[in-house]
Amino acid sequence: MTLYQTPLPFLHPLLQALWDRISTVFQAPSVVHGADHVYRVAAVADRIAIVEGANRLIVGAAALLHDICRNDSDLVGCHALAAAEKARVLLAELAFAQDQIECVVCAIEAHRFSSGPEAPSLEAQVLQDADRLDAIGAIGMLRAFAFGDELTHSAYHPSDPFHRTERPLDDMRYAIDHFYRKLLQIIDTLHTVEGRRIARRRQEFMEAYLDALEHDLADAQLADTQVADTQVADVRELVGLGG
Ligand code: ADP
Ligand code: NI
């Protein structure tokens, strides 16, 4: 059984039927928007919905469908609006009530980080939070590093990797710029208490990662410039060359 066929045991049976119907859309491998992303968003959204008292059926349907048009090669326009339209059709076929369909549609329309409207309902807020949580922490970093194109991206800005000057950020060119343009700010955009609680550990991990990266780059800097005499002597001693 592949991941895209995996049952979602935490979800309502109607949602399992929906996933069975749509999961093949996500069978192609994709680090950024694959079946595993949808699975995590649905699972985390469900967990937040329980804590916050949101409607789990609406949240679950919106989570499963929110990126259904994301990998369409012939998509023109906004993937969230296209997914909302597709949701209307699919949910009607599965006999969802009209008012439920409208709630799912409005959550999907509002989910986009880059250009979505304000989240108009608790269910829309829960979906936004779950989708944004998947962009931060260890999993978010994995996705961000997979996003860039080997031919167009560098790892970090050569003279200012940690954005300590006023230069404009360019995350279409430098992978680490994406932290400063988006990832480190996500925690402040979350709506729910449970979402922010989950985000805190992920935020700490991203900050610790940037610290570690700074140390690694300092190692390279040291080799590049002058190694202090005492350090040279220490190393010679260590490898048995004496003083
Ligand atoms: P949305 O569909 O909400 O607009 P995005 O396409 O902005 O979402 O982001 C989807 C995923 O891709 C996220 O994990 C995000 O961090 C990552 N991503 C988007 N743009 C970049 C970028 N320029 N560099 C690295 N990762 C990116
Ligand atoms: Ni998503």
Side-chain angles (χ1 to χ4, degrees):
M1 181 178 286
T2 59
L3 180 65
Y4 75 86
Q5 295 167 315
T6 309
L8 299 151
F10 45 90
L11 294 182
H12 192 286
L14 202 48
L15 294 176
Q16 184 62 54
L18 174 61
W19 182 240
D20 292 344
R21 180 92 184 262
I22 64 170
S23 55
T24 50
V25 169
F26 299 99
Q27 65 185 300
S30 163
V31 176
V32 183
H33 289 110
D36 56 328
H37 166 67
V38 179
Y39 190 101
R40 288 189 304 272
V41 171
V44 171
D46 193 50
R47 181 172 150 191
I48 299 175
I50 292 169
V51 177
E52 304 283 335
N55 183 312
R56 292 174 67 191
L57 186 63
I58 303 297
V59 166
L64 293 180
L65 289 162
H66 81 283
D67 273 341
I68 194 160
C69 295
R70 203 62 171 81
N71 302 326
D72 280 5
S73 48
D74 48 359
L75 175 75
V76 276
C78 169
H79 85 91
L81 297 183
E85 277 318 302
K86 208 167 217 168
R88 260 185 224 288
V89 177
L90 282 163
L91 296 178
E93 283 170 14
L94 285 168
F96 272 68
Q98 198 52 43
D99 59 334
Q100 292 176 323
I101 295 177
E102 288 315 313
C103 292
V104 173
V105 162
C106 106
I108 295 174
E109 281 175 352
H111 89 271
R112 258 199 109 169
F113 184 84
S114 1
S115 58
E118 288 289 295
S121 64
L122 176 59
E123 287 70 23
Q125 293 182 340
V126 173
L127 174 61
Q128 269 196 5
D129 282 9
D131 197 32
R132 289 173 189 190
L133 280 167
D134 211 54
I136 62 173
I139 189 64
M141 287 166 49
L142 185 63
R143 294 176 73 219
F145 293 150
F147 179 94
D149 185 328
E150 177 67 19
L151 299 175
T152 58
H153 276 63
S154 300
Y156 49 83
H157 188 281
S159 61
D160 182 24
F162 304 102
H163 199 241
R164 303 218 167 103
T165 68
E166 295 292 306
R167 73 175 171 86
L169 288 164
D170 187 355
D171 66 353
M172 293 312 285
R173 192 155 168 212
Y174 305 114
I176 293 299
D177 271 17
H178 192 58
F179 283 75
Y180 298 97
R181 199 184 70 73
K182 175 170 169 180
L183 305 188
L184 294 170
Q185 267 113 53
I186 282 183
I187 192 166
D188 296 325
T189 72
L190 299 180
H191 307 282
T192 63
V193 174
E194 179 63 2
R196 284 195 297 275
R197 196 184 68 74
I198 297 171
R200 274 196 286 277
R201 189 184 44 80
R202 299 185 185 203
Q203 186 81 3
E204 280 167 18
F205 177 71
M206 291 193 295
E207 285 165 1
Y209 170 78
L210 290 170
D211 270 359
L213 180 63
E214 188 160 9
H215 278 101
D216 291 0
L217 300 191
D219 291 343
Q221 194 85 30
L222 201 65
D224 211 31
T225 56
Q226 273 191 334
V227 180
D229 287 349
T230 50
Q231 280 171 303
V232 174
D234 286 351
V235 172
R236 286 174 67 84
E237 178 116 15
L238 208 65
V239 297
L241 290 173

